[in-house]
Amino acid sequence: KANCRMPKSKNYSIMKLLAVGTVAFDAIETPFGKTDKILGGAATYIGLAASVMKTDVSLVSVIGGDFPQEYLDMMTSKGINLDGVEMIKDGKTFFWSGKYHNDLNSRDTLVTELNVLENFDPKIPASAADAEVLLLGNLHPAVQLAVLERMNSRPKLVILDTMNFWMDLTWDLLMEVIAKTDVITINDEEARQLSGEYSLVKAAQKIHTLGPKYVIIKKGEHGALLFDDGKVFAIPALPLEEVFDPTGAGDTFAGGFASHIAKSENISFENMKSAIIVGSAMASFTVEEFGTQRLEKVTQDELKQRITQFKELTTFEVEL
Ligand code: AMP
């Protein structure tokens, strides 16, 4: 029986969440439409997901002088601490462009312009250097490592998200980060690339040996798997009426997952089961509109309704 308790308090979490990742411009093409440069980036989605849950969240990232103040104001107004987001006035913001295939489960990256990310030296605001939960969102593994090393002490839980781009370009550094993390979240294709195994069960076993005690494999519209050396938990994705643009779903998932852990102050496997439900429920909003548009509007009540839908979807009685 699915058992997912949302933290009752509406107050900000006691455990702090620090997330590092891109704050970016994205240009997206799906079978349903196309955008010019819009707000994107892994850290942006993580921050927005955390703000829905009123998590005490700080972001570490870098932007160029071309980044609109209105985006910063929008995030700040939602309680996202941006003290660790550095602006390089004469630099350009990270830009990514992608095109989805008809099934929306796969996409081609058309452009990745690192721009200000190329020489990024992350600075952690004093207020967040003692965060208990650290989410190393998708970004150069050297930056992820630097952030981990610059914390006051090792956080209680270190979660890593990455993608094929970094596996292709910075394998050794990525291995170094992976060795230092507790939880890794990656999609099925990336798990196969990382492990050289087709079977996701074998892939998870191999990834455990690289460092992470917990391995989360995201399977797009087919849900997610959570592995804890020997134990496995599986959830479906909600069957949605509107699937418009999957960009940021993975980051939103990670943000929801990490926020649930921070709010419930519990890093057990049992609680991670609930956390992946929360992450999936959160991500189900992101895919409904382009970019961050839907996530920006989500309320706590809407999130609770989706979590209830998850319970109904996965609860059944059977007599054996
Ligand atoms: P997701 O759909 O969850 O994989 O995340 C999409 C977001 O990741 C987009 O908003 C991009 O700006 C960002 N992104 C794309 N490529 C990279 C990269 N190589 N490093 C960091 N972030 C990226």
Side-chain angles (χ1 to χ4, degrees):
K1 183 179 169 183
N3 178 16
C4 182
R5 241 171 289 131
M6 283 284 284
K8 293 232 163 38
S9 142
K10 282 222 156 88
N11 299 328
Y12 280 80
S13 57
I14 300 172
M15 272 195 181
K16 289 186 208 169
L17 170 63
L18 176 66
V20 55
T22 40
V23 171
F25 289 130
D26 289 348
I28 305 160
E29 192 174 337
T30 82
F32 311 110
K34 207 175 154 167
T35 67
D36 287 329
K37 283 188 174 182
I38 57 170
L39 173 63
T44 307
Y45 285 101
I46 294 167
L48 289 171
S51 76
V52 175
M53 294 180 64
K54 306 240 181 293
T55 310
D56 182 340
V57 63
S58 301
L59 303 185
V60 168
S61 194
V62 63
I63 51 177
D66 55 352
F67 195 78
Q69 184 63 37
E70 62 175 283
Y71 291 162
L72 297 173
D73 292 344
M74 181 275 291
M75 287 194 266
T76 311
S77 74
K78 291 180 178 296
I80 305 169
N81 186 324
L82 300 181
D83 292 351
V85 177
E86 186 184 355
M87 181 187 274
I88 310 279
K89 284 229 161 61
D90 54 1
K92 279 176 73 182
T93 299
F94 175 85
F95 171 63
W96 175 81
S97 162
K99 181 176 176 178
Y100 287 84
H101 301 162
N102 279 341
D103 68 358
L104 287 176
N105 263 334
S106 53
R107 71 182 176 205
D108 294 325
T109 289
L110 304 177
V111 183
T112 302
E113 285 176 14
L114 295 177
N115 297 333
V116 286
L117 201 63
E118 214 135 4
N119 297 307
F120 179 40
D121 186 28
K123 291 160 201 78
I124 301 178
S127 60
D130 59 350
E132 291 89 348
V133 181
L134 174 62
L135 175 47
L136 299 173
N138 192 9
L139 200 146
H140 197 300
V143 175
Q144 295 177 318
L145 269 178
V147 170
L148 182 55
E149 278 157 15
R150 290 172 190 179
M151 299 296 285
N152 285 351
S153 58
R154 193 193 187 276
K156 288 206 173 85
L157 194 71
V158 179
I159 306 162
L160 174 74
D161 190 17
T162 188
M163 74 188 290
N164 52 356
F165 183 82
W166 303 113
M167 289 180 206
D168 295 337
L169 290 185
T170 56
W171 179 267
D172 291 344
L173 272 174
L174 185 60
M175 286 299 133
E176 246 185 90
V177 194
I178 290 177
K180 294 183 175 174
T181 58
D182 304 304
V183 185
I184 183 169
T185 81
I186 43 175
N187 72 29
D188 40 8
E189 279 313 305
E190 292 156 357
R192 290 182 174 121
Q193 184 173 349
L194 192 58
S195 63
E197 295 285 352
Y198 183 81
S199 147
L200 294 179
V201 175
K202 284 192 184 156
Q205 282 165 359
K206 266 217 177 147
I207 296 169
H208 281 310
T209 67
L210 303 176
K213 175 166 166 47
Y214 305 101
V215 176
I216 297 171
I217 300 182
K218 299 164 286 181
K219 300 189 295 164
E221 64 175 335
H222 304 298
L225 298 167
L226 165 67
F227 296 91
D228 171 8
D229 241 344
K231 283 184 270 179
V232 58
F233 179 66
I235 59 162
L238 279 180
L240 291 173
E241 276 169 43
E242 292 294 337
V243 180
F244 197 76
D245 168 23
T247 307
D251 311 306
T252 308
F253 173 92
F257 175 87
S259 295
H260 179 80
I261 301 281
K263 286 221 84 172
S264 53
E265 299 177 54
N266 176 342
I267 57 176
S268 67
F269 178 70
E270 282 310 306
N271 192 45
M272 281 185 196
K273 293 181 181 176
S274 305
I276 65 171
I277 301 264
V278 174
S280 298
M282 194 78 82
S284 74
F285 291 108
T286 293
V287 303
E288 288 179 346
E289 289 180 37
F290 264 133
T292 58
Q293 282 168 13
R294 181 67 181 98
L295 190 59
E296 285 178 39
K297 293 179 290 201
V298 177
T299 64
Q300 261 192 330
D301 280 342
E302 282 179 315
L303 178 65
K304 283 184 185 162
Q305 277 170 23
R306 285 260 158 117
I307 291 171
T308 306
Q309 275 177 273
F310 249 105
K311 272 182 124 170
E312 285 163 4
L313 186 71
T314 53
T315 305
F316 61 88
E317 306 270 334
V318 61
E319 279 198 31
L320 294 172

